Amino acid sequence: MNDERHSKAAGRQAIEAAEIARLAQRAIAVLAADRPGRSDGLKLRLAQLCDAFISPEEERRHEMLMRLRQDGVKATEIIDHIVPAVAQQMGERWFTDEISFADVTIGAARLQETVRGLGWHDMGRDAAHADAPTILLIIPRGEHHTLGAFVLADQLRRRGYRVDVAVDRHPRQIHEMLRRTRYRMVGLTVSGRRTLASAKELVDIIRLTATRVTPVVIGGSILDKGYDVLALSGADHTARDAVSALRRCGLNAVVSDAPPQELKGLVDVSLDRL
């Protein structure tokens, strides 16, 4: 119990109130678009979505998602705005002891399932970019904050990239992926010092294995903790959002019909930032 409360105290220090408010406001704006007269109930609706993803009743969250789609909310809007805002609200409820950490973990996993279910590749669009440049996103072993990486992967696919996501892979497996595929960028999501040590090992493997110079970018809540991330990891860049990551690697959107909204960070909605 003491460890959990210590974890909560550390987590509180990492919360950025402005970021949480911005995510919620963007989600509410999406819910309110072209629906005059309903603004008073929008915050309640967001709270109900949070309840639905925590609830063991699967049909409850499916019904909420169906209502969103029936109201004209696009799949991309759900992924980019609604999902992060619901995740942030789960974190807020945990910090105030309204829900348990188990509830947050289960809810985040269900949000991730939603992203994958609504995602770009599941719309049959990935095949249209079979020859597109490829990006590798790595969630290192021991890193449990995966939701943001899947949101990011979907957004990159919409911009014309092929994206491989490596979750909890052994370094040997990462080595094989790098041998088989020429990646234009490798992104690693890191939330704490322990994962940063794993990231250093992975960066070394990338340097030794990649057949071309491949820029490595680290993102996540580790950037808020005062570490010299580049010195400790050996990565080329750090980035708090995907737009910055792409620009620092000299990359742009591949397709001209990319969505106008800003891409979220490599782990912008990780549990460490909730």
Side-chain angles (χ1 to χ4, degrees), residues 40-266:
D40 291 344
L42 293 173
K43 291 185 179 180
L44 175 62
R45 196 174 184 190
L46 195 57
Q48 289 172 338
L49 277 165
C50 184
D51 291 337
F53 276 91
I54 294 171
S55 171
E57 300 175 14
E58 185 175 354
E59 61 274 10
R60 186 174 175 184
R61 61 181 179 275
H62 289 326
E63 181 182 355
M64 292 293 293
L65 289 170
M66 182 178 67
R67 287 181 185 175
L68 286 173
R69 299 304 299 273
Q70 289 173 340
D71 286 347
V73 180
K74 299 177 182 178
T76 53
E77 293 174 328
I78 294 174
I79 292 170
D80 293 343
H81 307 307
I82 305 299
V83 166
V86 172
Q88 294 284 10
Q89 187 166 127
M90 286 180 187
E92 283 285 270
R93 290 187 181 187
W94 174 54
F95 289 140
T96 56
D97 288 320
E98 295 177 52
I99 60 176
S100 68
F101 184 72
D103 289 328
V104 177
T105 302
I106 292 168
R110 290 170 178 160
L111 287 170
Q112 185 169 306
E113 290 174 5
T114 298
V115 171
R116 298 186 72 170
L118 295 173
W120 194 250
H121 66 292
D122 287 330
M123 296 176 188
R125 300 295 298 274
D126 218 23
H129 303 292
D131 298 324
T134 308
I135 289 173
L136 175 61
L137 300 180
I138 302 175
I139 302 168
R141 303 183 81 185
E143 178 62 72
H144 302 295
H145 306 135
T146 61
L147 176 60
F150 281 94
V151 171
L152 173 65
D154 184 77
Q155 293 170 329
L156 290 171
R157 289 183 179 113
R158 276 182 261 147
R159 279 173 160 74
Y161 287 93
R162 293 180 61 84
V163 183
D164 292 337
V165 182
V167 183
D168 197 30
R169 297 287 184 91
H170 190 279
R172 268 197 317 272
Q173 294 173 301
I174 299 296
H175 170 76
E176 288 303 316
M177 294 179 72
L178 290 162
R179 286 188 59 204
R180 292 194 305 265
T181 305
R182 297 181 65 181
Y183 293 104
R184 297 293 299 276
M185 180 183 89
V186 178
L188 288 87
T189 175
V190 179
S191 64
R193 180 64 185 263
R194 180 178 298 178
T195 314
L196 190 59
S198 299
K200 173 66 168 64
E201 180 183 7
L202 292 171
V203 171
D204 290 342
I205 289 171
I206 294 165
R207 299 284 189 240
L208 291 171
T209 309
T211 57
R212 57 179 290 174
V213 177
T214 304
V216 181
V217 183
I218 289 183
S221 57
I222 190 68
L223 304 184
D224 297 321
K225 297 181 178 179
Y227 295 116
D228 187 342
V229 173
L230 295 183
L232 291 171
S233 68
D236 299 295
H237 310 288
T238 61
R240 296 179 181 276
D241 59 77
V243 168
S244 297
L246 290 171
R247 286 175 179 168
R248 286 169 188 171
C249 296
L251 302 174
N252 297 302
V254 177
V255 294
S256 59
D257 59 345
Q261 67 270 13
E262 176 185 285
L263 291 174
K264 294 304 298 164
L266 294 174

